[in-house]
Amino acid sequence: MNSEQQLFFAGQKIVNDEQQEYEEYELLLRYGNQVNARFPAQIYENLIKDEKEYKKYIQFLKAELSTFLVAKPNANFSFNIDQQELKYQALFDFLSDFPVEQRQRLTIELTENAPLEHELNYYSTYDIDAIKQIADMDYKIAFDDIGSGNNTLGNLFLSKDHITRVKWSYINLAKFVSWEESRNWIKFLNEITTTNQLDLVIEGVENEDVAQQLRKLGIKYFQGYLYSKPTPLIG
């Protein structure tokens, strides 16, 4: 992996409003220097498009996760995988290498991106058997960006017994609709997740006014610039 030395993970806090001592970070893949770092979309796509390249990336991911787990022994971490990665045995070999006590500190955020060579029917590309397999290995699974791409409500209900968390970004909707419209959607998501005993994390929280409104709706998990910007966690 030629870009390995320039790739790193920045951490952004996930806040539990009811447990001040709670410590969790989403690990976000970044490229470049720490000042002007960005998500390396094309590099990442190249790394996951075939299993030979993916094996190189997965070794990098394993080393980084191991470092974070040791450096921050009281923290939990989440990291993203695209649905293309579910096609590779290398992913499951990597997941099986972690001791059970470490698996319990890791949440896999399943992104909305369908496999790279998906068919027109998104439902046919969703690999529920892979989701079950990961859950059976005692990893937590988050359904990222609910309502986008392959992470439809239908696939959420298909997965609800195997996942622990649903994530949704407030700021993406706030660009286009009023708070009243956003509130209705958040209340709907909160009802679904509460009924199915899932955590709901609202991302894109950038000011205290929004946080207060979300608290009134019963939301307790928050992520966004109000709490922290993505930043290197070590060094």
Side-chain angles (χ1 to χ4, degrees), residues 14 22 24-27 65 76-81 102-110 139-143 164-165 167:
I14 297 174
Y22 183 79
E24 182 179 358
Y25 303 90
E26 180 181 356
L27 300 176
L65 283 176
N76 298 315
F77 300 94
S78 62
F79 62 96
N80 295 320
I81 66 167
Q102 290 187 337
R103 298 179 197 183
Q104 295 171 349
R105 296 170 55 197
L106 297 172
T107 298
I108 296 169
E109 295 198 10
L110 184 67
Y139 286 95
K140 300 184 186 74
I141 301 173
F143 212 67
T164 58
R165 172 180 288 177
K167 300 187 76 177

Side-chain angles (χ1 to χ4, degrees), residues 201-216:
V201 179
I202 302 297
E203 299 180 287
V205 180
E206 296 190 343
N207 62 71
E208 185 59 34
D209 288 343
V210 170
Q212 291 287 6
Q213 293 295 331
L214 291 171
R215 291 186 187 104
K216 292 178 182 178

Side-chain angles (χ1 to χ4, degrees), residues 21 43-44 52 62 66 68-69 85 96 117 124 128 146 150 152 156 159-160 179 202 205-206 221 231 234:
E21 72 281 3
I43 292 174
Y44 182 64
K52 181 179 179 181
K62 180 180 179 181
S66 298
F68 290 128
L69 287 164
E85 298 173 57
S96 67
E117 296 182 1
S124 67
I128 185 61
I146 177 66
N150 225 23
T152 62
L156 169 62
S159 312
K160 64 183 178 63
W179 165 252
I202 302 297
V205 180
E206 296 190 343
Y221 285 96
T231 184
I234 302 173

Side-chain angles (χ1 to χ4, degrees), residues 92-217:
F92 298 93
D93 293 341
F94 150 72
L95 293 175
S96 67
D97 281 345
F98 281 95
V100 172
E101 62 270 18
Q102 290 187 337
R103 298 179 197 183
Q104 295 171 349
R105 296 170 55 197
L106 297 172
T107 298
I108 296 169
E109 295 198 10
L110 184 67
T111 75
E112 73 278 12
N113 299 322
L116 296 176
E117 296 182 1
H118 65 78
E119 303 170 12
L120 292 178
N121 184 348
Y122 273 66
Y123 292 101
S124 67
T125 68
Y126 186 72
D127 194 343
I128 185 61
D129 290 333
I131 302 302
K132 292 178 181 177
Q133 186 176 347
I134 294 172
D136 287 343
M137 297 170 73
D138 291 325
Y139 286 95
K140 300 184 186 74
I141 301 173
F143 212 67
D144 199 18
D145 284 330
I146 177 66
S148 300
N150 225 23
N151 287 355
T152 62
L153 285 174
N155 284 337
L156 169 62
F157 283 108
L158 181 64
S159 312
K160 64 183 178 63
D161 294 331
H162 311 291
I163 66 174
T164 58
R165 172 180 288 177
V166 172
K167 300 187 76 177
W168 179 74
S169 179
Y170 162 76
I171 196 170
N172 288 339
L173 190 61
K175 297 174 183 177
F176 306 106
V177 303
S178 68
W179 165 252
E180 292 297 320
E181 293 171 291
S182 295
R183 183 175 63 181
N184 291 335
W185 175 241
I186 295 165
K187 288 171 66 177
F188 174 65
L189 288 178
N190 198 30
E191 182 176 349
I192 289 175
T193 52
T194 300
T195 300
N196 290 284
Q197 299 180 310
L198 304 172
D199 294 330
L200 175 61
V201 179
I202 302 297
E203 299 180 287
V205 180
E206 296 190 343
N207 62 71
E208 185 59 34
D209 288 343
V210 170
Q212 291 287 6
Q213 293 295 331
L214 291 171
R215 291 186 187 104
K216 292 178 182 178
L217 297 177

Side-chain angles (χ1 to χ4, degrees), residues 44-57 84 88 90 116:
Y44 182 64
E45 183 174 325
N46 290 338
L47 290 172
I48 68 170
K49 68 182 180 182
D50 66 69
E51 192 160 11
K52 181 179 179 181
E53 287 299 312
Y54 183 65
K55 286 180 179 179
K56 299 175 185 178
Y57 169 70
Q84 175 70 21
Y88 300 141
L116 296 176

